[in-house]
Amino acid sequence: MHARHLLRTAATSLTLAATLFTASGAEAATTTTWEVSLSGNTPVGSLMSISSVNEDLAWAVGRKAQHGVIMRWNGERWSKDTAPGLPDVWEWSAVSAVSADDVWAYGTVERRQALVHYDGARWTTVPTTGAFDDSWPEVPLDAVPGRLFKGGKALYTYADGAWQTFSLPDLVDIRDIDALSADDAYATGMKYPVRGGHPVTYHWDGTTWTLMDQPPVPAGTDTAKITVDAPDSVYVAGWAEGPDADPPIPSVAHWNGTAWTDVTGSLTDLYLHAINSDGRGGLWVTGTDKTSPVDSGPVFWHYDGTTWTKEPGATAPDGATQWPSYSFYDLAPVGSSGDFWAVGDYSTPMNGNGDQTVNGLIERSTTVSPTTAPH
């Protein structure tokens, strides 16, 4: 997970629990709308991760035609990052920005890892550690002042130019990390295989990682996402395959500092690929929607600590109308305003030869109060 620290340290006055429509059909006091910020024929074909420093500075990473791409937001538009020093990779899969001159990105080429750091002027390759993760090459990163966290087949921390490795049991793979500080971080993943295995969650105390109690998710759930609002408010999430080609079954569990609770509630029919704290004890989640009857549009869900609400994202002008067309893989706060970025991809309609193009997609949320909402 990436740069939630903006919301933890800001006094956000907006209530993000409001949405265009709710699962029960009741309107909330405010509404959240999503708009397309990047789509069409751009330098990127799919985006896997996003991280922002403030309203005017953010990075999103992904690929196009087996070439890694890093995009940069300057407050007005997205464009390809042209700072010197980036190596050629097949894909950039994770980015984490601490500040304008402290940004990390992780990528892969063939069976090799690529880790780079941006100092405000150029990118520099940093030697990484640990074996290449054949099972899940898109390993997570999360950076905070003074420390970088990396997942995979082990848990790695980097500080003062040195790596520390925490070994994990066989078949355990860390899929997501979220840090509150250099001495307080959480990681989640799975003891694979999914069927017959179980979720794992670890806590970092500044010295070592400790295995936490097992989250209460249904058997067969691949728990691959984590977000931390506070030491007594941690969420893990994932999804399981529905039986007989039924819609997927998402799951979300909450740690209150003492025990886990299943808070999935009315969240349904979602290949859950992205989760992020809203900075107020709640969540945003998204991924690929498979509501029946199947709809091709993008979908977001919000959890306010009690109730889940569902809202549509914005459709791309050239997006296909058949499922599956839209997928999001990461969420991050735009700044301290309470607005969010979402990144992923979408498909264009099939041409006469039955071919489709996949384009990178970035959307941005805006929370509208009743006094400013259009009528």
Side-chain angles (χ1 to χ4, degrees), residues 148-161:
L148 173 71
F149 299 92
K150 173 177 173 281
K153 291 187 176 299
L155 278 159
Y156 310 94
T157 65
Y158 182 78
D160 301 322

Side-chain angles (χ1 to χ4, degrees), residues 5-53:
H5 327 292
L6 293 166
L7 292 180
R8 298 185 184 119
T9 57
T12 306
S13 61
L14 298 175
T15 301
L16 289 182
T19 57
L20 286 177
F21 58 93
T22 68
S24 63
E27 290 188 359
T30 60
T31 60
T32 303
T33 60
W34 294 82
E35 62 180 20
V36 172
S37 184
L38 178 78
S39 66
N41 185 17
T42 70
V44 66
S46 183
L47 289 156
M48 303 301 298
S49 178
I50 186 167
S51 186
S52 63
V53 172

Side-chain angles (χ1 to χ4, degrees), residues 114-289:
L115 179 66
V116 294
H117 179 258
Y118 179 69
D119 62 5
R122 64 176 293 114
W123 294 91
T124 302
T125 298
V126 177
T128 188
T129 191
F132 178 82
D133 193 335
D134 289 300
S135 302
W136 303 102
E138 296 160 342
V139 303
L141 289 182
D142 197 32
V144 294
R147 197 177 300 274
L148 173 71
F149 299 92
K150 173 177 173 281
K153 291 187 176 299
L155 278 159
Y156 310 94
T157 65
Y158 182 78
D160 301 322
W163 287 98
Q164 178 181 349
T165 300
F166 181 84
S167 298
L168 298 170
D170 289 343
L171 301 180
V172 170
D173 212 300
I174 296 300
R175 304 286 304 282
D176 203 8
I177 301 174
D178 195 17
L180 287 167
S181 69
D183 297 329
D184 193 3
Y186 296 80
T188 197
M190 289 289 295
K191 166 79 171 181
Y192 288 98
V194 174
R195 296 188 180 279
H198 58 82
V200 294
T201 306
Y202 287 86
H203 175 244
W204 166 261
D205 62 5
T207 302
T208 190
W209 293 92
T210 301
L211 182 65
M212 299 171 62
D213 294 342
Q214 186 174 317
V217 298
T221 300
D222 190 354
T223 305
K225 296 298 175 182
I226 191 166
T227 186
V228 185
D229 191 56
D232 60 354
S233 184
V234 180
Y235 293 88
V236 297
W239 58 272
E241 292 282 1
D244 302 322
D246 287 343
I249 304 168
S251 294
V252 181
H254 179 246
W255 173 261
N256 65 4
T258 303
W260 291 100
T261 303
D262 183 351
V263 296
T264 306
S266 59
L267 176 66
T268 58
D269 303 342
L270 183 72
Y271 291 99
L272 195 160
H273 300 313
I275 183 172
N276 204 316
S277 164
D278 66 3
R280 301 177 62 83
L283 299 174
W284 282 106
V285 304
T286 187
T288 305
D289 182 54

Side-chain angles (χ1 to χ4, degrees), residues 337-363:
S337 66
D339 296 341
F340 270 75
W341 294 114
V343 297
D345 55 44
Y346 69 97
S347 301
T348 62
M350 289 185 182
N351 61 22
N353 296 321
D355 297 324
Q356 289 180 292
T357 299
V358 177
N359 292 330
L361 179 63
I362 303 178
E363 297 202 5

